[in-house]
């Protein structure tokens, strides 16, 4: 899955970018306070993408 697609789904779910790191971006869901690191690759493997979306309640 493309990183842009994951970010789009997170924004729709109400999540926002907390900060940019050197190799990961930290996204937070303000409803439950969950924070998840997203690698800064163009393509993210499907199992990892699903895990990120599930943990941030953005499925």
């Amino acid at each position: 899955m493309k990183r842009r697609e994951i970010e789009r789904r997170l924004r729709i779910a109400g999540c926002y970018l907390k900060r940019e790191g050197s190799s990961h971006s930290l996204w937070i869901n303000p409803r439950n306070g969950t924070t998840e690191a997203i690698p800064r690759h163009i393509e993210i493997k499907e199992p990892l993408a699903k895990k990120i979306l599930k943990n941030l309640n953005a499925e």
Side-chain angles (χ1 to χ4, degrees):
M1 182 179 290
K2 298 279 185 192
R3 181 179 179 187
R4 287 184 183 195
E5 175 67 21
I6 293 172
E7 290 177 351
R8 184 181 70 78
R9 288 187 186 186
L10 291 175
R11 284 191 189 95
I12 289 171
C15 301
Y16 64 90
L17 180 65
K18 184 174 181 180
R19 69 176 174 87
E20 288 283 344
S22 60
S23 61
H24 290 80
S25 301
L26 287 180
W27 283 75
I28 188 167
N29 185 337
R31 293 182 199 141
N32 58 13
T34 307
T35 304
E36 190 70 33
I38 300 176
R40 297 184 67 181
H41 300 288
I42 294 171
E43 189 72 29
I44 298 173
K45 294 187 180 193
E46 199 68 29
L48 179 59
K50 287 183 179 182
K51 176 193 167 288
I52 291 168
L53 294 172
K54 181 180 178 185
N55 288 348
L56 289 173
N57 296 328
E59 291 183 301

